[in-house]
């Protein structure tokens, strides 16, 4: 009996009961052949439109009739490969309608359409897919490089900020140390001078007190002698009186109506006021320089469209006397400049223009700035320039608009011309004795406007500014003048 059982097992095969994890769950593809509790399918057949577990898949590997069947990963969507109209496998792709169809559909509603086999269409789409994947992979690489670059930028920004904060702290500490030293020096000098003057007064005071004591003693001696009743005794004692010591005349004590050390306070206050002026003037540049730090390029802000919008960026600009040629007279708190026939008494300064009647603003311009110029006479150049423009002589390197460091609008009574890098561009627009300048340093925009009854754009420059700019004026003829307006007035519409 045991031998018969063994022989039977050899014929039917000894199979262990499958583990629970081999059975199909709700999310798994179940074997279509299994009865009862179904096992998980390991493959699906596109020809049979069925899914098989490992046991029921064996005939596809062993029998020749199944050799050409297409096996794929288990799928619940096999029925999507069957034509709903003809119940046939869809092996054709209609490019006209962009859908899969069966052979019978070719004779029906897809007759005459552009069709290919599903395999051919898949092959082409596969190539497109590969191209898409390559593009995606390339974009991934590019984005990874960008991420790495941005990380480097973050590290660079943090490093630069930390270094700047450290350097600023060091500089301000040095300034504080210098101020502390100067405070100590003033205190020491005042105390030293105080001691010297007090010692001199004390010494004179002691001499006077000693003289007073001697005089009192002498007066007592004389008083005693004056009361002597014996005439002979008086006459005998009188010659023996000691002579008076030399007197300290009150006229030698020169008490001046001094304020003592109050003048020192005034001098220190003057230093404080000058330091405050310097800090106030330079702080704007420091603050603007900090806010101008912009690592990521962004879309430039739109240019103002109304004069009221331009006024938001109005700048209080003054001319620097140290830059004005000696034939220029500055007035109205250094906002007006007039060309004179006689040289003015300016001190020598390396920033002064020596060959052209030009002057620069004291303030450096960054960010967004707007100002207006009122001119009188035959003509004026309204310009912006880098600070490092040449100053000495009359070469093009010193002349507004004749080099790559300056941009200038030449305004006359009958024409406008824009100059840059020694190239002149004729500009058309209404003639006016008032022009306006708008600068967006970050966006690289420089615009000139004519202001009459309307505000008309004369010329716009789009470039990249690499340094802070300064406003500039060049007076072309004697007795002509130009003024930087402090508070632009009037209401104008804006026309191109």
């Amino acid at each position: 009996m045991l031998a018969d059982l063994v022989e039977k097992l050899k014929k039917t095969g000894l199979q262990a009961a499958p583990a629970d994890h081999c059975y199909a769950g709700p999310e798994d593809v179940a074997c279509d052949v299994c009865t009862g509790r179904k096992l998980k399918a390991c493959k699906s057949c596109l020809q049979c439109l069925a899914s098989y577990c490992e046991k029921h898949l064996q005939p596809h590997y062993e029998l020749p009739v199944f050799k050409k069947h297409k096996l794929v990963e288990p799928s619940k969507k096999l029925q999507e490969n069957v034509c709903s109209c003809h119940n046939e496998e869809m092996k054709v792709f209609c490019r006209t309608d962009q859908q899969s169809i069966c052979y019978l559909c070719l004779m029906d509603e897809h007759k005459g359409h552009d069709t290919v086999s599903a395999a051919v269409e898949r092959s082409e789409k596969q190539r497109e897919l590969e191209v898409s994947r390559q593009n995606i992979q390339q974009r991934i690489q590019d984005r990874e490089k960008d991420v790495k670059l941005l990380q480097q930028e973050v590290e660079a920004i943090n490093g630069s900020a930390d270094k700047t904060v450290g350097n600023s702290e060091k500089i301000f500490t040095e300034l504080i140390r210098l101020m502390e030293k100067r405070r100590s020096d003033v205190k020491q000098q005042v105390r030293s001078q105080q001691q010297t003057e007090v010692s001199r007064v004390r010494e004179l005071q002691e001499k006077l007190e000693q003289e007073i004591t001697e005089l009192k003693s002498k007066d007592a001696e004389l008083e005693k002698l004056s009361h002597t009743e014996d005439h002979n005794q008086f006459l005998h004692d009188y010659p023996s009186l000691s002579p008076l010591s030399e007197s300290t005349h009150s006229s030698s004590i020169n008490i001046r109506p001094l304020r003592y050390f109050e003048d020192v306070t005034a001098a220190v206050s003057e230093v404080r006021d000058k330091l405050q002026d310097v800090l106030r003037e330079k702080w704007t540049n420091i603050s603007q320089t900090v806010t101008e730090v912009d690592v990521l390029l962004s879309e430039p802000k739109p240019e103002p469209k109304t004069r009221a919008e331009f006024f938001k960026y109005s700048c209080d600009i003054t001319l620097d006397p140290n830059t004005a040629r000696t034939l220029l007279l500055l007035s109205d708190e250094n906002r007006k400049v007039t060309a004179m026939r006689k040289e003015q008494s300016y001190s020598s300064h390396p920033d002064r223009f020596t060959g052209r009647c030009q002057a620069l603003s004291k303030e450096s311009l960054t960010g967004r700035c707007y100002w207006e110029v009122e001119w009188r006479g035959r003509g004026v150049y309204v310009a912006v320039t880098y600070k490092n423009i040449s100053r000495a002589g009359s070469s093009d390197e010193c002349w507004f608009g004749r080099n790559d460091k300056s941009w200038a609008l030449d305004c006359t009574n009958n024409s406008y011309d824009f100059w840059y890098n020694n190239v002149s561009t004729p500009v058309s627009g209404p003639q006016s004795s008032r022009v306006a300048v708008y600068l967006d340093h970050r966006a690289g925009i420089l615009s000139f406007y004519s202001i009459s009854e309307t505000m008309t754009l004369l010329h716009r420059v789009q470039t990249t500014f690499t340094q802070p700019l300064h406003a500039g004026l060049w007076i072309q003829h004697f007795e002509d003048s130009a003024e930087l307006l402090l508070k632009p007035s009037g209401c104008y519409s804006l026309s191109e």
Side-chain angles (χ1 to χ4, degrees):
M1 290 176 63
L2 183 58
D4 291 341
L5 180 58
V6 171
E7 191 65 26
K8 185 176 180 180
L9 288 175
K10 286 182 179 180
K11 292 180 180 179
T12 59
L14 182 61
Q15 298 181 358
D20 286 343
H21 63 79
C22 294
Y23 289 107
E27 302 299 324
D28 298 320
V29 178
C31 177
D32 292 319
V33 181
C34 289
T35 58
R37 190 176 181 184
K38 296 181 176 291
L39 297 176
K40 291 181 182 179
C42 61
K43 292 289 182 181
S44 295
C45 179
L46 296 181
Q47 277 69 28
C48 300
L49 298 179
S51 299
Y52 302 99
C53 65
E54 186 174 353
K55 173 185 175 182
H56 294 120
L57 184 63
Q58 291 302 315
H60 279 74
Y61 293 138
E62 298 172 356
L63 300 179
V65 70
F66 295 119
K67 289 296 185 183
K68 294 184 179 181
H69 285 203
K70 179 69 173 178
L71 296 176
V72 296
E73 292 301 310
S75 173
K76 291 184 177 182
K77 300 180 179 180
L78 292 177
Q79 290 302 319
E80 294 180 4
N81 293 325
V82 178
C83 177
S84 59
C85 296
H86 305 106
N87 201 28
E88 293 286 341
E89 183 181 356
M90 294 185 294
K91 296 183 177 181
V92 180
F93 186 81
C94 178
R95 290 177 171 173
T96 303
D97 296 328
Q98 289 294 302
Q99 68 180 72
S100 297
I101 61 175
C102 69
Y103 286 112
L104 295 178
C105 291
L106 291 174
M107 308 302 160
D108 199 352
E109 64 267 26
H110 294 275
K111 186 177 181 179
H113 288 188
D114 181 13
T115 60
V116 294
S117 68
V120 171
E121 185 67 15
R122 162 62 188 272
S123 179
E124 292 189 8
K125 289 293 190 288
Q126 184 73 29
R127 285 195 292 271
E128 294 178 4
L129 184 145
E130 292 300 326
V131 172
S132 297
R133 286 197 62 203
Q134 291 176 3
N135 291 336
I136 291 173
Q137 291 170 0
Q138 183 62 46
R139 288 180 60 181
I140 291 173
Q141 292 178 4
D142 293 341
R143 294 301 172 265
E144 288 176 345
K145 289 180 181 178
D146 292 340
V147 169
K148 186 176 181 180
L149 177 62
L150 291 176
Q151 181 59 37
Q152 292 174 349
E153 286 300 320
V154 168
E155 294 173 359
I157 292 170
N158 291 337
S160 178
D162 293 342
K163 183 178 180 181
T164 299
V165 170
N167 290 339
S168 299
E169 287 290 330
K170 182 179 179 181
I171 292 170
F172 280 111
T173 300
E174 291 175 355
L175 287 174
I176 293 171
R177 187 182 297 114
L178 177 61
M179 296 301 296
E180 291 285 351
K181 185 177 186 305
R182 291 292 178 262
R183 182 179 71 172
S184 177
D185 290 345
V186 170
K187 180 179 179 180
Q188 183 178 355
Q189 284 184 302
V190 169
R191 293 303 185 193
S192 176
Q193 190 66 20
Q194 173 191 11
Q195 185 177 0
T196 299
E197 294 304 314
V198 168
S199 296
R200 291 176 59 197
V201 173
R202 293 289 189 195
E203 182 180 356
L204 181 58
Q205 183 181 6
E206 290 175 0
K207 289 176 63 177
L208 291 176
E209 289 176 348
Q210 182 179 358
E211 183 177 346
I212 290 172
T213 301
E214 292 177 356
L215 289 174
K216 285 182 178 180
S217 175
K218 191 67 176 178
D219 180 63
E221 183 182 355
L222 293 177
E223 182 183 10
K224 180 180 179 181
L225 181 62
S226 67
H227 289 89
T228 301
E229 296 181 355
D230 188 340
H231 301 310
N232 292 326
Q233 184 65 37
F234 177 87
L235 294 174
H236 177 269
D237 293 340
Y238 185 80
S240 63
L241 293 174
S242 60
L244 291 175
S245 61
E246 185 178 352
S247 175
T248 302
H249 299 289
S250 60
S251 59
S252 66
I253 303 175
N254 188 9
I255 304 297
R256 298 189 298 273
L258 293 176
R259 293 167 57 199
Y260 303 109
F261 294 99
E262 283 79 359
D263 289 340
V264 177
T265 302
V268 174
S269 298
E270 182 181 359
V271 172
R272 177 200 61 195
D273 295 341
K274 288 184 177 181
L275 284 174
Q276 288 178 340
D277 291 340
V278 170
L279 290 174
R280 189 181 301 110
E281 176 186 342
K282 298 302 181 183
W283 176 251
T284 301
N285 293 341
I286 294 172
S287 180
Q288 286 182 343
T289 303
V290 172
T291 57
E292 287 299 315
V293 175
D294 188 2
V295 177
L296 294 177
L297 295 177
S298 56
E299 290 296 324
K301 296 179 180 179
E303 194 166 328
K305 297 299 182 184
T306 66
R307 199 156 184 264
E309 291 180 359
F310 279 107
F311 282 171
K312 295 178 182 178
Y313 306 103
S314 293
C315 296
D316 184 7
I317 299 176
T318 58
L319 296 171
D320 186 354
N322 291 328
T323 67
R325 190 184 174 186
T326 53
L327 289 173
L328 294 177
L329 171 64
L330 301 186
S331 59
D332 293 349
E333 297 182 336
N334 293 336
R335 290 188 175 87
K336 184 176 181 181
V337 57
T338 306
M340 310 297 289
R341 298 182 183 275
K342 182 180 178 181
E343 291 195 357
Q344 306 301 303
S345 57
Y346 293 126
S347 61
S348 177
H349 200 280
D351 290 343
R352 191 173 309 286
F353 288 101
T354 61
R356 300 286 177 185
C357 288
Q358 300 177 154
L360 295 182
S361 67
K362 179 181 293 184
E363 298 78 12
S364 61
L365 306 175
T366 57
R368 307 178 91 185
C369 306
Y370 175 81
W371 67 97
E372 295 182 359
V373 178
E374 187 84 30
W375 59 278
R376 293 287 183 271
R378 286 170 286 178
V380 64
Y381 271 50
V382 179
V384 295
T385 177
Y386 295 141
K387 188 175 183 179
N388 62 351
I389 188 173
S390 298
R391 311 299 174 94
S394 300
S395 67
D396 289 343
E397 296 303 314
C398 309
W399 195 350
F400 291 159
R402 299 308 202 271
N403 47 69
D404 61 358
K405 293 182 174 64
S406 59
W407 297 256
L409 183 69
D410 179 10
C411 307
T412 65
N413 290 319
N414 53 19
S415 67
Y416 295 106
D417 289 283
F418 175 76
W419 285 88
Y420 172 68
N421 208 12
N422 214 14
V423 176
S424 174
T425 303
V427 174
S428 61
Q431 295 301 308
S432 174
S433 61
R434 180 181 293 189
V435 294
V437 184
Y438 171 74
L439 170 68
D440 188 338
H441 192 280
R442 180 184 299 180
I445 295 175
L446 174 65
S447 302
F448 295 90
Y449 294 87
S450 169
I451 299 181
S452 52
E453 294 182 356
T454 60
M455 185 176 178
T456 306
L457 177 65
L458 297 174
H459 191 74
R460 178 184 284 114
V461 175
Q462 179 68 65
T463 184
T464 300
F465 298 116
T466 58
Q467 305 173 38
L469 292 165
H470 289 258
L473 293 173
W474 174 40
I475 311 301
Q476 303 180 50
H477 305 283
F478 292 125
E479 312 303 332
D480 290 359
S481 65
E483 182 179 1
L484 296 164
L485 300 182
L486 176 60
K487 293 182 179 179
S489 58
C491 184
Y492 301 89
S493 59
L494 183 61
S495 62
E496 293 291 334

